[in-house]
Amino acid sequence: MIDKKIVKAARHAIESYFSKENFVLKEYNEKRGIFVTLYENGELRGCIGFIDPVELNKGIIDAARSAAFGDPRFPPVSKNELTKLKIEVSILTVPELVKGIKEIKIGRDGLIIEEGWSKGLLLPQVFPEWNVKTTEDALGMTCEKAGLSRDRWKDRKNVKIYKFQTEIFKENE
């Protein structure tokens, strides 16, 4: 069973990187998609994960360490920053191909846009955080994340849209 302890595991994965401790998890045998998001002073500090299902024991360690040390948008987290970080773990449902955009609900669904080698993903919590109100705007943001033009989602022959939901675990809540 996945519970709030998964956030403590993510923090320990990051901390153990500095101490060189061989950190191994054994309690999360389930295979699911997972993302770890780091915040510092309320601002995004890193976010990395896996869309396709991975064994969570390994996935939580890999995603947490990648968010802390491998997100190309940010410098690696320093040891001094550890106390300032807030960690959020999102466990994903299996993405479903969207047939019509009316199936998408802002605030519930995360989105994946895919065209050829281009792929972008935004977690469901991103849209309310950015005050996105319409499905069209959410699709446009996801296209931009994929490196596509904002209206590229309208080409339903070449562009695939997927939706998914998340179970979110936050530190200190």
Side-chain angles (χ1 to χ4, degrees):
M1 180 180 97
I2 302 168
D3 57 23
K4 288 180 91 71
K5 289 189 290 185
I6 201 162
V7 178
K8 286 182 182 172
R11 178 169 288 283
H12 194 82
I14 296 167
E15 290 170 347
S16 66
Y17 176 86
F18 289 107
S19 67
K20 307 286 189 232
E21 173 193 342
N22 184 23
F23 178 55
V24 177
L25 273 173
K26 294 184 180 175
E27 62 186 282
Y28 301 107
N29 296 317
E30 211 174 319
K31 285 191 171 190
R32 301 276 298 273
I34 183 170
F35 274 75
V36 173
T37 306
L38 307 177
Y39 294 95
E40 187 175 329
N41 300 319
E43 298 292 320
L44 181 65
R45 181 60 178 86
C47 182
I48 299 282
F50 307 101
I51 299 168
D52 296 321
V54 296
E55 185 182 308
L56 289 179
N57 284 323
K58 183 167 174 7
I60 187 65
I61 295 169
D62 292 346
R65 288 180 176 171
S66 293
F69 310 112
D71 188 328
R73 299 170 292 181
F74 303 96
V77 166
S78 70
K79 194 172 186 178
N80 294 338
E81 287 179 278
L82 288 176
T83 58
K84 299 176 200 165
L85 292 180
K86 293 292 181 203
I87 299 173
E88 180 179 285
V89 177
S90 300
I91 305 297
L92 282 61
T93 61
V94 176
E96 305 169 44
L97 187 62
V98 171
K99 294 176 181 68
I101 67 165
K102 291 185 184 205
E103 297 174 31
I104 299 167
K105 183 171 189 243
I106 302 302
R108 177 193 69 190
D109 297 326
L111 295 174
I112 301 167
I113 298 274
E114 192 175 275
E115 181 181 33
W117 294 100
S118 298
K119 190 180 225 178
L121 175 144
L122 289 173
L123 296 169
Q125 57 268 38
V126 169
F127 303 120
E129 286 172 7
W130 285 84
N131 205 26
V132 173
K133 303 275 190 229
T134 69
T135 301
E136 292 81 1
D137 284 343
L139 290 163
M141 276 180 73
T142 311
C143 282
E144 286 180 337
K145 182 80 185 273
L148 304 170
S149 65
R150 274 191 76 83
D151 64 348
R152 192 74 188 125
W153 63 269
K154 294 176 182 176
D155 179 357
R156 297 310 308 275
K157 285 186 177 182
N158 297 306
V159 177
K160 291 181 182 171
I161 303 169
Y162 297 89
K163 68 177 182 171
F164 62 91
Q165 293 80 47
T166 57
E167 188 174 1
I168 301 170
F169 300 92
K170 294 182 181 186
E171 198 165 42
N172 300 328
E173 281 195 359

